[in-house]
Amino acid sequence: MATFYALPGMTGWDDGTNFPGGNWALTSGGIGQPLIPTSNDAAVFDSNSGAGRAITTSSSGGSPTCASLTMLTSNPIRFNGGTILVRTSADFTSAAA
């Protein structure tokens, strides 16, 4: 199991065109990786994930799936176009701006 952090400016769950390597990093604010969270991984949106983003959740492989989804940000993030399947837990905590 790995933890993936969304990068600022991402527009799609599995669209790696915004950053060299991809839209997900293995550390908060880190370098994009050519990987996406799977059903065994944690997905995190935090203060380094950017604000005002509309993220398309439809995926070329069906609905995105992750083991856990954590929202640790006061930044608005909107999910469009589909469902995110969360296998174990979801935590939506408003972090101080």
Side-chain angles (χ1 to χ4, degrees), residues 4 17 20 24 26-27 29 33 36 40 42 73-74 78 80 85 94:
F4 289 87
T17 61
W24 298 93
L26 298 176
T27 59
Q33 301 296 312
I36 61 170
N40 296 314
T73 180
S74 58
R78 185 177 66 243
N80 295 331
L85 303 175
S94 179

Side-chain angles (χ1 to χ4, degrees), residues 2-97:
T3 299
F4 289 87
Y5 294 84
L7 293 174
M10 78 182 284
T11 57
W13 187 274
D14 65 352
D15 175 21
T17 61
N18 293 330
F19 298 97
N23 286 329
W24 298 93
L26 298 176
T27 59
S28 179
I31 297 170
Q33 301 296 312
L35 305 167
I36 61 170
T38 69
S39 61
N40 296 314
D41 301 317
V44 177
F45 290 81
D46 65 10
S47 59
N48 289 318
S49 297
R53 300 289 175 218
I55 299 168
T56 302
T57 56
S58 56
S59 166
S60 58
S63 294
T65 303
C66 57
S68 65
L69 175 65
T70 303
M71 305 293 287
L72 294 172
T73 180
S74 58
N75 297 329
I77 298 173
R78 185 177 66 243
F79 296 100
N80 295 331
T83 302
I84 300 172
L85 303 175
V86 181
R87 293 184 54 211
T88 58
S89 66
D91 179 20
F92 298 89
T93 303
S94 179

